[in-house]
Amino acid sequence: MELKSLPLSLLFIISTCFSNLEASINGDGSRFSEQHPLKRSDFPPGFLFGASTSAYQVEGAYLEDGKSLTNWDEFCHSKGCGENGDNGDIADNHYHLLMKDIEIVHSLGIQAYRFSISWARVLPRGRFGEVNPLGIIFYNKIIDNLVLKGIEPFVTIHHEDFPQEFEDRYESWLDPQMQDEFVHFAETCFKSFGDRVKYWITINEPNLVSEFAYEKGEYPPNRCSQPFGNCSAGNSDIEPLFAMHNMLLAHGKAAKLYHEQYQAKQGGLIGLVAHCFMYEPITDSELDRKAAERALIFNIGWTFDPPIFGDYPQEMRECHGNELPRFSQEEKDFMKNSTDFIAINHYSSLYAKDCTNSSCLETYNRAIKGFVETTGERNGVPIGDPTSMPRFFVVPRGMEEIVNYVKTRYNNTPMFVTENGYSSPNVDNAQVEEILNDVKRIEFHQAYLASLVKAIRNGADVRGYFVWSLMDNYEWLHGYNVRFGLYYVDRQTFDRIPKLSARWYQDFLRNNSLIDIYDL
Ligand code: NOJ
């Protein structure tokens, strides 16, 4: 659908809402003029704008060309994982529509495309088997075609899915064997693709995986204990700490290998990504302010202190004592400075409430949560507009705040915002037209980008921003009804149809402002 065919009234609403938005965002004494619409040129030269996807969420072809079954295949087939029994068997059929998707990426005018490698497609049996040449061919095709079009491949080595065999043999991330398994996979990627890939992310959101897979037990392998959930096995107070420890060491070992044996000749950078909520104290009390600080430390510090400083935050050690795994001296040495950049997936802010001195839900009154209850509501009022994700609210100021927090804590290590995106609240029987006219998504990105610019102007070394997601895709527990895409995907024909936000992003990247949307 062409933007030109949109009624003028809608275009008027869009431009009005943006000029208001800018006025409210910038009416706080920052350097923007009140009417200054955000432009590409507000970002530093060389700043990478991109879009993200991940293998399980878009590829499909779950048993083709030598790929083995993954933890998510197994989970979805046995338990039924998404709403409506959805799963990623076909997903967006990206495996077969790859060239079309690269066209889309190209037409957006983005400088980088972030995608992940399916472990089971490249190494169907990990260290227990051979490299699958067809898997290598598939990713070579993506990388070569991106490079041909001048688009930077930004590669996540591991994003949730791994061969089920690791779970069956040794319980995957609960076992240190998984560290060497990952290093083998990472090295296969460096050898096969590293001549063209200049940006690597080792593991996507290990903090969120630890929580959802081993504390809440909602992601495979569904391990948890009461009161966190009803799982057949697990220990929600301890296992997330072990899983995280193995993921962090896997990152550290792969990064050491890259730094020592590949970086000089391949010339790339390697980093780690965390799921980063911003936390605000629910009241002005000293206790709640400390709780918000603890929530940040127990999420961001948990993930990034080891690969930057070489060890877990002291506050976590005090809270967990010996339950928190320890790094040996040798491990501390290679963990330290093992990330060349910090990758931030940021969507929302939450309120933080102290549990040491007031009553909290039982699941928050625990060491693993730092004795902090986090919530999206205060006195029944949400912290920002709701979305279709239960804990994601629209809070643009959180972007500046989280970037400033990371900048201060880690001495302005280079940062990338590797995910930021909006999924509109679900409307029963939403018509395609409504989905395509996604004014709210444009507002979201515009507002979060304006907030990001403020942090950059105050010195934060942020080097890129990726929209989640290029196209609607399989959203884990929520299936296909939660849509983050710039493109709508027809579930019958798999046609990709640009939403208004795709046209906006394209226009923004040409350095037009939204007011110029009339000229499209
Ligand atoms: C983070 C994850 O990396 C991605 O897989 C997910 O779809 C988005 N957030 C939205 O929840």
Side-chain angles (χ1 to χ4, degrees), residues 279 290-292 294-295 351-356 360 363-366 369-374:
Y279 298 98
K290 285 200 170 135
R294 263 198 323 281
Y351 292 121
K353 171 184 160 191
D354 173 69
C355 299
T356 60
C360 287
T363 44
Y364 290 104
N365 208 357
R366 322 283 281 216
K369 289 297 186 193
F371 302 99
V372 183
E373 180 170 337
T374 54

Short mmCIF file of all heavy atoms in Angstrom, two decimals, residues 279 290-292 294-295 351-356 360 363-366 369-374:
data_model
loop_
_atom_site.label_atom_id
_atom_site.label_comp_id
_atom_site.label_asym_id
_atom_site.label_seq_id
_atom_site.Cartn_x
_atom_site.Cartn_y
_atom_site.Cartn_z
N TYR A 279 14.50 1.36 35.54
CA TYR A 279 13.68 1.28 36.75
C TYR A 279 13.59 2.64 37.41
O TYR A 279 14.60 3.32 37.58
CB TYR A 279 14.26 0.26 37.73
CG TYR A 279 14.29 -1.14 37.15
CD1 TYR A 279 15.46 -1.65 36.58
CD2 TYR A 279 13.15 -1.94 37.15
CE1 TYR A 279 15.48 -2.93 36.03
CE2 TYR A 279 13.16 -3.21 36.61
CZ TYR A 279 14.32 -3.70 36.04
OH TYR A 279 14.35 -4.95 35.49
N LYS A 290 16.72 3.20 46.54
CA LYS A 290 17.77 2.16 46.59
C LYS A 290 17.30 0.90 45.87
O LYS A 290 18.09 0.19 45.25
CB LYS A 290 18.12 1.84 48.04
CG LYS A 290 18.96 2.93 48.68
CD LYS A 290 19.69 2.38 49.89
CE LYS A 290 20.70 3.39 50.39
NZ LYS A 290 20.69 3.55 51.84
N ALA A 291 16.00 0.64 45.96
CA ALA A 291 15.45 -0.55 45.28
C ALA A 291 15.61 -0.41 43.77
O ALA A 291 15.96 -1.37 43.08
CB ALA A 291 13.99 -0.74 45.66
N ALA A 292 15.34 0.78 43.25
CA ALA A 292 15.48 1.00 41.79
C ALA A 292 16.95 0.79 41.38
O ALA A 292 17.24 0.16 40.36
CB ALA A 292 15.01 2.40 41.41
N ARG A 294 19.07 -1.10 42.95
CA ARG A 294 19.35 -2.56 43.04
C ARG A 294 18.79 -3.29 41.82
O ARG A 294 19.42 -4.20 41.28
CB ARG A 294 18.70 -3.13 44.30
CG ARG A 294 19.64 -3.25 45.46
CD ARG A 294 19.21 -4.18 46.56
NE ARG A 294 17.81 -4.25 46.90
CZ ARG A 294 17.14 -3.37 47.65
NH1 ARG A 294 17.75 -2.30 48.13
NH2 ARG A 294 15.86 -3.56 47.93
N ALA A 295 17.60 -2.89 41.39
CA ALA A 295 17.01 -3.57 40.22
C ALA A 295 17.94 -3.42 39.02
O ALA A 295 18.14 -4.37 38.24
CB ALA A 295 15.64 -2.99 39.92
N TYR A 351 8.39 0.53 37.51
CA TYR A 351 8.60 1.05 38.86
C TYR A 351 9.26 -0.02 39.72
O TYR A 351 9.01 -1.22 39.54
CB TYR A 351 7.27 1.41 39.51
CG TYR A 351 6.57 2.59 38.90
CD1 TYR A 351 5.29 2.46 38.36
CD2 TYR A 351 7.18 3.86 38.88
CE1 TYR A 351 4.63 3.54 37.80
CE2 TYR A 351 6.52 4.94 38.31
CZ TYR A 351 5.25 4.78 37.78
OH TYR A 351 4.61 5.85 37.23
N ALA A 352 10.08 0.44 40.66
CA ALA A 352 10.73 -0.48 41.59
C ALA A 352 10.29 -0.16 43.02
O ALA A 352 10.27 1.00 43.42
CB ALA A 352 12.24 -0.36 41.47
N LYS A 353 9.93 -1.22 43.74
CA LYS A 353 9.45 -1.04 45.12
C LYS A 353 10.31 -1.88 46.05
O LYS A 353 10.58 -3.07 45.75
CB LYS A 353 7.99 -1.50 45.17
CG LYS A 353 7.40 -1.58 46.54
CD LYS A 353 5.98 -2.14 46.44
CE LYS A 353 5.55 -2.67 47.79
NZ LYS A 353 4.33 -3.43 47.75
N ASP A 354 10.73 -1.31 47.14
CA ASP A 354 11.59 -2.02 48.10
C ASP A 354 10.82 -3.13 48.80
O ASP A 354 9.68 -2.94 49.23
CB ASP A 354 12.10 -1.02 49.14
CG ASP A 354 12.85 -1.73 50.24
OD1 ASP A 354 13.93 -2.26 49.96
OD2 ASP A 354 12.32 -1.79 51.37
N CYS A 355 11.45 -4.31 48.93
CA CYS A 355 10.80 -5.41 49.64
C CYS A 355 11.46 -5.71 50.98
O CYS A 355 11.05 -6.63 51.67
CB CYS A 355 10.84 -6.68 48.80
SG CYS A 355 9.98 -6.54 47.23
N THR A 356 12.50 -4.97 51.34
CA THR A 356 13.16 -5.28 52.62
C THR A 356 12.35 -4.71 53.76
O THR A 356 12.44 -5.14 54.89
CB THR A 356 14.60 -4.71 52.69
OG1 THR A 356 14.51 -3.28 52.55
CG2 THR A 356 15.49 -5.26 51.61
N CYS A 360 5.69 -7.49 49.78
CA CYS A 360 5.75 -7.62 48.32
C CYS A 360 5.16 -8.97 47.93
O CYS A 360 5.01 -9.86 48.77
CB CYS A 360 7.21 -7.62 47.86
SG CYS A 360 7.97 -6.00 47.94
N THR A 363 7.14 -13.75 45.00
CA THR A 363 8.21 -13.98 44.01
C THR A 363 9.26 -12.87 43.99
O THR A 363 10.35 -13.04 43.45
CB THR A 363 7.63 -14.13 42.59
OG1 THR A 363 6.66 -13.12 42.40
CG2 THR A 363 7.03 -15.49 42.36
N TYR A 364 8.91 -11.72 44.53
CA TYR A 364 9.89 -10.62 44.53
C TYR A 364 10.68 -10.55 45.83
O TYR A 364 11.72 -9.92 45.90
CB TYR A 364 9.18 -9.28 44.29
CG TYR A 364 8.67 -9.17 42.88
CD1 TYR A 364 7.33 -9.34 42.59
CD2 TYR A 364 9.56 -8.93 41.83
CE1 TYR A 364 6.88 -9.27 41.28
CE2 TYR A 364 9.11 -8.86 40.52
CZ TYR A 364 7.76 -9.03 40.26
OH TYR A 364 7.33 -8.96 38.96
N ASN A 365 10.14 -11.22 46.84
CA ASN A 365 10.76 -11.13 48.15
C ASN A 365 11.91 -12.13 48.27
O ASN A 365 11.97 -12.91 49.21
CB ASN A 365 9.66 -11.43 49.18
CG ASN A 365 9.95 -10.75 50.48
OD1 ASN A 365 10.99 -10.11 50.63
ND2 ASN A 365 9.07 -10.92 51.43
N ARG A 366 12.79 -12.12 47.29
CA ARG A 366 13.83 -13.16 47.21
C ARG A 366 15.15 -12.52 46.81
O ARG A 366 15.19 -11.49 46.13
CB ARG A 366 13.50 -14.19 46.11
CG ARG A 366 12.07 -14.55 45.96
CD ARG A 366 11.65 -15.49 47.01
NE ARG A 366 12.07 -16.86 46.74
CZ ARG A 366 11.33 -17.91 47.06
NH1 ARG A 366 10.16 -17.76 47.64
NH2 ARG A 366 11.76 -19.13 46.84
N LYS A 369 15.80 -11.64 43.17
CA LYS A 369 15.20 -10.39 42.70
C LYS A 369 15.80 -9.17 43.39
O LYS A 369 15.31 -8.05 43.22
CB LYS A 369 13.68 -10.41 42.95
CG LYS A 369 12.93 -11.38 42.05
CD LYS A 369 13.09 -10.96 40.61
CE LYS A 369 12.25 -11.78 39.67
NZ LYS A 369 12.63 -11.58 38.28
N GLY A 370 16.79 -9.40 44.23
CA GLY A 370 17.40 -8.28 44.96
C GLY A 370 16.41 -7.64 45.93
O GLY A 370 16.56 -6.49 46.32
N PHE A 371 15.38 -8.40 46.30
CA PHE A 371 14.33 -7.89 47.20
C PHE A 371 13.70 -6.61 46.64
O PHE A 371 13.55 -5.62 47.34
CB PHE A 371 14.86 -7.70 48.63
CG PHE A 371 15.41 -8.99 49.19
CD1 PHE A 371 16.78 -9.23 49.20
CD2 PHE A 371 14.56 -9.98 49.66
CE1 PHE A 371 17.29 -10.43 49.67
CE2 PHE A 371 15.06 -11.18 50.13
CZ PHE A 371 16.43 -11.42 50.14
N VAL A 372 13.39 -6.67 45.36
CA VAL A 372 12.74 -5.54 44.70
C VAL A 372 11.53 -6.07 43.92
O VAL A 372 11.66 -7.04 43.16
CB VAL A 372 13.68 -4.85 43.67
CG1 VAL A 372 12.99 -3.63 43.05
CG2 VAL A 372 15.00 -4.46 44.30
N GLU A 373 10.39 -5.44 44.11
CA GLU A 373 9.23 -5.77 43.28
C GLU A 373 9.18 -4.77 42.13
O GLU A 373 9.27 -3.56 42.35
CB GLU A 373 7.94 -5.70 44.10
CG GLU A 373 6.71 -6.02 43.26
CD GLU A 373 5.44 -6.21 44.10
OE1 GLU A 373 5.54 -6.52 45.31
OE2 GLU A 373 4.35 -6.02 43.53
N THR A 374 9.04 -5.27 40.92
CA THR A 374 8.97 -4.35 39.78
C THR A 374 7.57 -4.44 39.17
O THR A 374 7.00 -5.52 39.05
CB THR A 374 10.04 -4.69 38.73
OG1 THR A 374 9.92 -6.06 38.37
CG2 THR A 374 11.43 -4.41 39.25
#
